């Protein structure tokens, strides 16, 4: 029993503390916005604030990061973001294509510069 708890314990904690609290709010938001007009001023404002927050987080990750990502030159990180955005647009606004292309560009840059 103790071996099972040691193996599953961290995953259970991640589920309990990291995943479920966020999913409750996502589900509540999904239920509350049902029936709202997508073109209303309130929804447009909320979408703009969410986009600005995401842009801020991405800028912080690219320009002032820490850990292993900080070892990769800033030019590589900015270039990878640009490549990811271009792939997003080329692939008809596919988030998966953008993330995959950006990640491949970061890995190629890290390999190229010997990080």
């Amino acid at each position: 029993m103790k071996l099972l708890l040691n193996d599953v314990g961290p995953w259970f904690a991640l589920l309990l503390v990291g995943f479920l609290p966020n999913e409750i709010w996502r589900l509540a938001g999904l239920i509350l916005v049902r029936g709202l007009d997508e073109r209303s001023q309130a929804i447009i404002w909320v979408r703009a604030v969410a986009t600005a927050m995401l842009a801020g987080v991405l800028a912080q990750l690219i320009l002032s990061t820490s850990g292993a990502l900080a070892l990769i030159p800033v030019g590589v990180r900015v270039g990878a973001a640009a490549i990811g955005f271009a792939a997003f647009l080329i692939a008809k606004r596919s988030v998966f294509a953008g993330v995959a292309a950006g990640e491949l560009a970061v890995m190629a840059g890290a390999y190229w510069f010997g990080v």
Side-chain angles (χ1 to χ4, degrees):
M1 179 69 178
K2 186 172 181 162
L3 179 63
L4 180 65
L5 189 59
N6 285 341
D7 291 340
V8 181
W11 292 103
F12 181 70
L14 182 64
L15 179 70
L16 187 65
V17 177
F19 176 74
L20 289 178
N22 291 320
E23 284 304 307
I24 290 170
W25 291 112
R26 286 175 154 223
L27 184 62
L30 187 65
I31 291 169
L32 290 174
V33 300
R34 192 180 319 165
L36 287 179
D37 183 19
E38 191 175 313
R39 294 167 298 199
S40 72
Q41 290 297 317
I43 299 299
I44 291 171
W45 179 79
V46 167
R47 188 177 301 146
V49 169
T51 302
M53 288 177 61
L54 180 61
V57 168
L58 287 174
Q60 185 177 13
L61 281 172
I62 292 169
L63 299 175
S64 64
T65 189
S66 62
L69 193 58
L71 299 174
I72 298 172
V74 175
V76 172
R77 295 188 306 238
V78 171
I83 289 169
F85 183 65
F88 168 77
L89 293 177
I90 290 168
K92 300 178 183 164
R93 299 178 60 97
S94 169
V95 174
F96 177 76
V99 170
E103 183 65 28
L104 287 173
V106 166
M107 289 190 301
Y111 178 76
W112 186 283
F113 289 101
V115 176

